[in-house]
Amino acid sequence: MRFVILGAGRIGLAHVDTLMKLDGVSALFIADLDSARAAAAAATVQGAAFGTIDEAFSWKPDGIVIAAPTSVHAELIVRAVQAGIPTFCEKPLAESLTSTLAVVEEVERHDVPVQIGFQRRFDAGYVEARRSLAAGEFGELRRMHMVTCDPTPPPAEYVPVSGGLYRDCHIHDFDILRWVTGQEVASVFATGSNRGAEYFAASGDIDESATILTLNDGTLVTLQGSRYNGAGYDVRMELAGTRGNRTVGLDERVPLTSTEPGVDFPSGTPWGTFQERFTDAYREELAAFVTVVHGTTPARCTPRDALEALYIAEAASLSRVEGRVVMLAEVRASARVEARI
Ligand SMILES: NC(=O)c1ccc[n+]([C@@H]2O[C@H](COP(=O)([O-])OP(=O)(O)OC[C@H]3O[C@@H](n4cnc5c(N)ncnc54)[C@H](O)[C@@H]3O)[C@@H](O)[C@H]2O)c1
């Protein structure tokens, strides 16, 4: 099958590398607004073509992978589904709640599969957490703790267009929380601080976060985030039940240091980047997309899932700014009112 990749930046280049090694992928066409980037990416793959976005659509691919900036996701997804082409799009689905709602409605008007790039759904640890929880192997879920910490901050130009820490980064936690537990979030209380570069505060963003979420069944969840985690790239999820617990990300490379005498766990080199931590998950999600294009499986993460994760990110952003607990019902209701306007 023939695949187009739109956007040959950080994640796009990784997807080019992954896609070309997958069974079922016979040809690639790479398009980027910056034609030199598209050409350079195509040069890494034998026989890959490159060109403009219009030429990519005219090439009549079987599937499209969108790895362009968030600001153009909405228009590219709509163009792809209107052309009847199965689409994979990086998270988040769109820049705002209003445009996300519009894209979801447009996608659902067409019988064209769309998969959103929440790769944690394809990470072996999260897959096992979901399975063991559903099987009741550690009793009834009562508490969870999640962490997503970057070792170094993103560049200054990325922050103002990122949507902020909750929509850009913690949206991964919100999506995987729903997927692992099968629960919805009822309420959020979020706080954050500015301890790093001034460009975070200048954009109304934060670089450290702490959040409390309550799920519909009463399970309590704490979440921490940082753009300055000197120890390494730290992504974990701890689940505590009435008969035991499970932890995702507790491996030899987790960036933790024990103070206990004689304990040398973890002994590996700490994870340094999201690319290395999730290499296998990125491969699995694109392998799954190939089967979606083939018509063998449905998309594991749909635009509606992306909308649900964004509702939680909106609630967290509002909670932080207004210093109060925000019910998800409030965010859903105001989104519906805005969409009617
Ligand atoms: N799932 C993940 O873990 C993950 C990780 C990083 C980034 N992302 C997401 O991937 C997207 C891209 O992020 P990035 O860090 O690779 O950005 P980037 O800035 O490194 O790359 C974006 C590329 O898209 C090109 N581009 C701009 N407009 C375009 C258009 N209309 N059509 C085609 N190409 C266009 C740019 O020239 C650039 O080469 C963002 O939405 C981001 O949220 C997801």
Side-chain angles (χ1 to χ4, degrees):
M1 289 180 293
R2 293 146 55 86
F3 286 81
V4 152
I5 299 194
L6 300 178
R10 274 189 318 167
I11 198 82
L13 283 176
H15 288 335
V16 166
D17 188 50
T18 306
L19 262 179
M20 64 182 252
K21 294 175 184 150
L22 290 177
D23 288 344
V25 178
S26 58
L28 288 185
F29 187 109
I30 302 162
D32 194 297
L33 276 192
D34 180 339
S35 58
R37 281 193 181 194
T44 66
V45 184
Q46 203 181 5
F50 69 94
T52 65
I53 288 110
D54 285 345
E55 286 165 347
F57 277 92
S58 306
W59 192 66
K60 301 224 175 302
D62 297 297
I64 288 190
V65 172
I66 300 172
T70 302
S71 54
V72 294
H73 287 181
E75 66 182 70
L76 293 174
I77 292 179
V78 167
R79 184 169 175 182
V81 295
Q82 287 178 348
I85 307 166
T87 301
F88 172 96
C89 183
E90 265 309 332
K91 50 55 68 177
L93 185 53
E95 268 183 318
S96 69
L97 202 41
T98 312
S99 57
T100 301
L101 274 164
V103 173
V104 170
E105 282 179 13
E106 181 61 19
V107 168
E108 291 179 354
R109 266 197 285 275
H110 296 79
D111 188 21
V112 179
V114 175
Q115 179 181 333
I116 305 301
F118 283 112
Q119 80 280 356
R120 292 186 193 180
R121 291 183 181 220
F122 296 88
D123 176 85
Y126 289 105
V127 170
E128 172 59 13
R130 176 178 146 105
R131 188 208 60 76
S132 57
L133 175 61
E137 289 179 8
F138 51 100
E140 186 180 282
L141 182 65
R142 293 293 173 84
R143 283 165 288 110
M144 295 176 67
H145 179 58
M146 298 192 294
V147 174
T148 294
C149 294
D150 290 323
T152 50
E157 61 275 14
Y158 181 86
V159 172
V161 292
S162 70
L165 190 67
Y166 289 106
R167 297 182 193 90
D168 177 54
C169 174
H170 283 318
I171 198 151
H172 281 289
D173 298 288
F174 302 144
D175 174 69
I176 202 65
L177 174 61
R178 294 182 63 247
W179 190 71
V180 166
T181 64
Q183 292 279 330
E184 297 298 340
V185 170
S187 69
V188 181
F189 178 72
T191 186
S193 62
N194 293 105
R195 309 283 301 274
E198 283 181 3
Y199 56 76
F200 286 102
S203 303
D205 199 2
I206 49 175
D207 46 78
E208 303 284 342
S209 71
T211 307
I212 300 173
L213 305 105
T214 305
L215 304 188
N216 277 344
D217 72 349
T219 298
L220 297 174
V221 183
T222 52
L223 165 66
Q224 291 194 337
S226 175
R227 297 290 199 185
Y228 289 92
N229 190 52
Y233 183 63
D234 192 2
V235 174
R236 280 174 285 136
M237 173 189 273
E238 300 169 10
L239 303 100
T242 48
R243 287 203 312 274
N245 59 56
R246 295 287 188 279
T247 297
V248 180
L250 189 63
D251 63 8
E252 291 291 352
R253 297 188 64 180
V254 66
L256 295 176
T257 305
S258 173
T259 59
E260 299 302 329
V263 173
D264 61 3
F265 175 87
S267 60
T269 306
W271 295 111
T273 62
F274 64 82
Q275 289 97 332
E276 60 173 11
R277 167 71 174 81
F278 287 115
T279 302
D280 293 348
Y282 290 128
R283 187 185 60 247
E284 292 303 315
E285 73 171 352
L286 287 180
F289 178 57
V290 172
T291 68
V292 168
V293 173
H294 193 254
T296 324
T297 56
R300 189 179 292 183
C301 186
T302 65
R304 195 154 281 277
D305 288 318
L307 171 64
E308 291 298 329
L310 184 59
Y311 279 136
I312 306 169
E314 293 290 325
S317 303
L318 183 63
S319 169
R320 180 183 71 80
V321 170
E322 298 192 352
R324 64 180 175 94
V325 174
V326 172
M327 307 300 291
L328 262 286
E330 173 189 335
V331 176
R332 287 175 201 281
S334 64
R336 279 195 294 272
V337 170
E338 271 179 45
R340 274 200 296 276
I341 293 166

